[in-house]
Structures are given as C-alpha cells and as structure tokens.
Amino acid sequence: MVFWERMVLWWTGLLCAVSVFAVSAVFVNPEITPKLDASLILVFAGGAIAGIRACFLKVDRGVGLISVLLLLTFLYVLLHTALLFPSGLLTLLPMVAAILIFGYGYFQPSDSAVFRNMGLFLAWLCLIQALYGLVPQLMNLWSGGGLVRIRGSFDNPAGFAVTLSMLFPWCVARWFRGKLFSKVLWAVASVVVALAVGASGSRAGLLCLLMVGFGMPLVHFFGHKWRVLRRLLLLSPIVLLLLLGGLYLLRPSSVEGRLLIWTGTLEMLRDHGLTGSGPLGFQSHYMVYQAEWLEQHPDSQWSELADNVRHPFNEYLWLGVGFGAPALLLLLGMVLVLAGVLRARAPEVCAPALWGLLVLAVFSMFSYPFRYAGTWVFAAWFLAEVARGGPIRWQVPAGARWVWAPLLILVCALLFSVTLRQMQAHIQWGRVARQALSGEQDILPEYHRLSKVLGHHPHFLFNYASELHHAGQYTQSVRVARACAQGLNDLDVQMLLAMNYMALGQRDSARASFVLASQMCPNRLAPLVGLMRLYDQAGNQAEAEAMAQTILRKPIKIRSVPVLILQEEARAYLRRSSE
C-alpha cells in the first residue's frame, strides 16, 4: 500500500472513530456536539489537503449518474436555503462534509485497497461500540442495579442503535470469509452486537438487524438460485408485517405517539410540500400544527400522548417538509439509479456497503439517524463504495483539476475556519451554561458576545432568553425568545414567552401563549397553572378557580414530583379562595 493510501486509510479510520466515540463534558450537549464538530474539522482539513494533492495528480475516474444527482441534490438544498432561509445555512455543514467524503471515496484509484481494509476496521468499530454500551450495563447488573436502555457513547439509544445497525453488515460479511476461527469469532461478535441493540430498546434497530442477519446469508447462499430466492422474496412482505406487529406490541403507546406526529407532519406537507419550509421548518412549525389538530379533535386518545416534538421520526417526511417535493424527487432519482447500478453488479449484491445503505433507508422511516455525525460519515462512504461500480457517463478532463482543486482548497479552508469558530463558541457556551447552573450572576455579557456567533442556533437562543428572564430583563427576553421561535417553537418557548408577557403586564399576550402551550401538549399541567396564576393576578377569581379544578381533574400520565407540586399549588389556591 502506497503512502497516500495509508494516509487516506488512517484519516478515514480516525474520522469514523471520532464520529462514533467523541464525547466531551465541555459542551452543552456532550455526546452530540463534539462528534459533529470534530468530524467537520477533520473533513474540511482533509478536503484542503486533498485539493492540494489533486493539483499534482491526474484523476483517472469519471462521474456517473449517482454522483451528478447527489451534487444536484446538494445544490438544490443549498440554493433553497440560501435564498429562502439564510439563517439555516450552517445546518447544512454535515451535508457539505458528506459530499466531500463521498468524493474522497469515489475518486480513489481503481486499484486502491482502502475500501477492502476499511471493512475490517468498521467491523471492529461496531463490536467495540457494542461492548462500550454493554459492559456498563453488565457491571450495573452485577452490583445489584436494574436494567436501563443502553446508549453507548450517544445521548440517546437511537444513535447507538443506528450506528450498530449500519456497521452490522461488516460483521455478518465476515461469516463467509477467512478461516474457521475468524468465522466463529465474528459470529459471536454479531451476537454481542444484537444483544446491545436489543438492550437499547430500539425497535427500528432490531428490525434492521433481523433484516441483515437473515437477508445477507440468504442472498449469499441462494443469490444464484433465482427460483428459490423469488419464493423467499414473496414471503418477505408477510414476514415484515409479522415483525412490525410484534414490534408494535413491545411499546404500543410509542407507536400511537408516532402516528400523531406523522398525522401533523402530513398536514404540514399539504401546506409546504411544494416549496418546503427550510432546514429548521419542522421544529419551528410542527407544534403549532399539532396544537391545531388536537384542538379540532379534543376527544382523541392521542391527546394524552402529545409531547414536545422536534423531529417527525421519519427522515423522508422531514426532507419533504424542509425542502419540498423537488428534494424527494431527486432522492427517488438516486434510488432508481442506484438500483440500475446494482443490476449491473449482480454478483456483488451482498456487499456490506449496500446493506448498510438499506439499513439506513429502513431506519430513516422510524427515527432520526441523520441527527448523528456518524450517520453522515458512513452513508457517504457506503454510497461511494457502491457508486464506484456504476457506469461512467462523463470523464473529468485532466485540465479541470486546475479549476476545481483550488476551489476545493478555498472552500474547505473557509469552512474549516467557520467550524473552528463554531466549536470554540460551543465550548464557551458550555462553560457559561455551567456557570449559570452554579448560581453565577454576571453571565449575560458572555451570552451577548456569543450571540454574534451562535445567533442562528435556536437552542442557544432559548438558553439566552431564559437567562434574560431570570435576570428580570423581560423585554429583551421576549425579543430573543421570538427569534428562537423562528427556528424552534414548542411548549417550552411558549411558556417562556408567556411568563415574560405576564411579568410585563401584557396579559392578553400571556394568555395567548399559555393557551397555545396547553394546546400543544394538553396533558401538561404547567400551562394550566400559568393560566390560573394569570387569572388570579388579574383578579378574575371565578376563572382561576375553574382552572384549578381543571388541573385537579386532569389525568396524570406519570406522577412525578413536579406534577405533584403543581397539583398541590392548585389545591392551595382553592383552599385560599374558599376561606
């Protein structure tokens, strides 16, 4: 293996490991932000280096339809966001990184051994992450603790499950190659991975593991026997329905909640399905749609399941809401072209990269895999490996490198600088947030300074508006909270606005925000308690007493300490008013 191939292999391995394992408590979100920021820095630094090398290297590969459609999709999303929703441009950085990763992989020399060597690395990465999640669980059980849903190095079991599921095909592929000891080793490793996904409680992960665990061996052994394979494929819809039914029975209330979310999202698609509402469109509009739907269906059993929602638990719906029908059509075009590539590569249909993409396609129907940096990295690398076998439609002119290589260097250098600045701001935000939690008072100047860099980040804006509220700067808090609502508008944002309006004496605005918050999540008591306080402050005793009675009659899903405190406040008010 030549020096440059070794460098690419080490760089790719480091990128994959960072996107899966990077964790740091200096960030507000210690499991998500460091993975994303570190991955972006690695990709953009690698892109600049690759651009420099490309100036002195002849590219021996043309481009196919998949590459063109991928680039067209990116350009559409970029122009759509830049022209209509410029505040969301920085949310596209993971997509830019994915395009670059795809390019690194796709334009590797034809005789490169990088992909072959990466396969073993990805299998080990999958096993290590599974053990990372399982070992603490086993230690907890050994010490007398109970079972918990494991999440490995992620903030949520979904990230843990999608990572293991996408890498699982590389473990299964090693069942069919090597010596007996290697086959047994990876069969045991596959069981460990399956146990880890099961312990995470991810139903989408279990479905994907079953699909890969049975599908890959079937295709491997019967792929050349079309008659047998066709019969097995005819049975697959029945098996799929049985699996989905069994997974529904595991947690039916969760499935009912997803149905509510998908119903509201389809309402959004009806209004925004043509042009889209931007990369932050879902979390800035969905909760209002949910409030309207629940208000129109007050007797719906879904009212008790309603909660704050920031993603539709379906990446295809998210794409349609954010960027409209053209984005979905471009995605469909890539799928069709990919199917054509696979027909031309029939002997290799059990390639792990293809199964990894299939896992991602299925997981995307039920969850939010693209929230995680590793998903972008793996999806781009897998797609590059599959697309390399497709037909070449356009050859890249040798002289074109003197145009695109300097442009690549310039863009990557600029994005590296932007990402580094964002990462520094994220670290400072984490420090200031910890100072606020410890009771320090003089932190608003720091928030104001950070707002110049993180002013596009709705979670930062909510944090900033909350600190302004606690400092008694209600007018400024309203201004920042309204800016936050342009990218994130949920129950918490409306409650913050309502409390600010209430403190400013703007009772009509306060009531409207409390009512909207209650309609968003009818099972929550906090908005009703806010209305009770507002009516009491206005001297409207009858309305306040009626609201207190409503609070006490409200069915409680989980009897937590905060809920009991709110109920006790309503009882105390009724006792005072009856004296």
Side-chain angles (χ1 to χ4, degrees), residues 161-416:
V162 71
T163 300
L164 295 185
S165 300
M166 289 185 71
L167 298 181
F168 185 62
W170 269 263
C171 296
V172 176
R174 308 202 79 79
W175 298 358
F176 316 127
R177 64 186 66 167
K179 297 181 180 180
L180 179 62
F181 175 78
S182 175
K183 294 178 179 179
V184 173
L185 171 65
W186 287 107
V188 173
S190 300
V191 173
V192 171
V193 174
L195 289 173
V197 173
S200 74
S202 170
R203 290 156 298 168
L206 288 172
L207 179 62
C208 291
L209 255 63
L210 289 170
M211 177 182 69
V212 172
F214 286 98
M216 284 186 71
L218 286 174
V219 173
H220 178 79
F221 292 113
F222 300 107
H224 60 288
K225 298 179 180 179
W226 172 242
R227 185 173 298 176
V228 176
L229 188 60
R230 184 176 60 182
R231 291 174 181 174
L232 292 173
L233 289 174
L234 289 173
L235 290 174
S236 60
I238 300 173
V239 175
L240 179 62
L241 288 174
L242 291 174
L243 285 174
L244 290 175
L247 294 174
Y248 169 79
L249 294 175
L250 288 177
R251 291 167 61 197
S253 61
S254 175
V255 177
E256 295 289 339
R258 301 283 173 92
L259 292 176
L260 168 63
I261 296 168
W262 292 341
T263 299
T265 307
L266 290 174
E267 292 290 322
M268 291 187 69
L269 277 174
R270 187 181 62 184
D271 295 339
H272 303 282
L274 185 60
T275 60
S277 55
L280 300 175
F282 181 86
Q283 59 183 25
S284 63
H285 294 96
Y286 169 77
M287 291 300 291
V288 176
Y289 277 84
Q290 178 171 288
E292 291 175 353
W293 193 91
L294 291 173
E295 184 67 14
Q296 295 168 6
H297 303 83
D299 298 327
S300 172
Q301 60 180 354
W302 292 343
S303 296
E304 298 305 315
L305 302 172
D307 203 347
N308 268 346
V309 177
R310 296 175 181 177
H311 194 280
F313 293 91
N314 185 300
E315 294 288 4
Y316 308 106
L317 291 177
W318 182 89
L319 185 66
V321 167
F323 301 103
L328 291 174
L329 290 175
L330 286 167
L331 177 63
L332 178 62
M334 276 198 292
V335 171
L336 294 176
V337 172
L338 187 61
V341 170
L342 296 177
R343 286 189 64 186
R345 301 181 66 188
E348 304 173 42
V349 290
C350 84
L354 169 63
W355 285 92
L357 291 174
L358 187 58
V359 163
L360 179 59
V362 173
F363 212 101
S364 295
M365 297 178 185
F366 308 106
S367 191
Y368 39 83
F370 284 98
R371 182 187 181 199
Y372 304 100
T375 302
W376 291 98
V377 172
F378 299 137
W381 190 256
F382 299 169
L383 187 61
E385 182 173 352
V386 174
R388 280 166 57 86
I392 300 300
R393 299 299 180 92
W394 300 275
Q395 194 67 35
V396 179
R401 68 179 185 273
W402 296 109
V403 176
W404 64 260
L407 183 62
L408 176 63
I409 296 169
L410 179 63
V411 170
C412 286
L414 175 63
L415 293 178
F416 180 87

Side-chain angles (χ1 to χ4, degrees), residues 121-194:
F121 176 82
L122 293 174
W124 277 109
L125 192 68
C126 181
L127 177 59
I128 294 169
Q129 177 63 207
L131 292 172
Y132 188 94
L134 275 176
V135 170
Q137 175 76 294
L138 295 174
M139 293 175 65
N140 183 55
L141 291 173
W142 182 265
S143 61
L147 288 171
V148 294
R149 294 179 65 192
I150 64 174
R151 51 190 180 89
S153 59
F154 294 85
D155 68 323
N156 189 293
F160 179 69
V162 71
T163 300
L164 295 185
S165 300
M166 289 185 71
L167 298 181
F168 185 62
W170 269 263
C171 296
V172 176
R174 308 202 79 79
W175 298 358
F176 316 127
R177 64 186 66 167
K179 297 181 180 180
L180 179 62
F181 175 78
S182 175
K183 294 178 179 179
V184 173
L185 171 65
W186 287 107
V188 173
S190 300
V191 173
V192 171
V193 174

Side-chain angles (χ1 to χ4, degrees), residues 508-522:
D508 290 341
S509 296
R511 183 182 182 281
S513 290
F514 278 133
V515 169
L516 179 55
S518 180
Q519 291 170 345
M520 287 176 171
C521 301

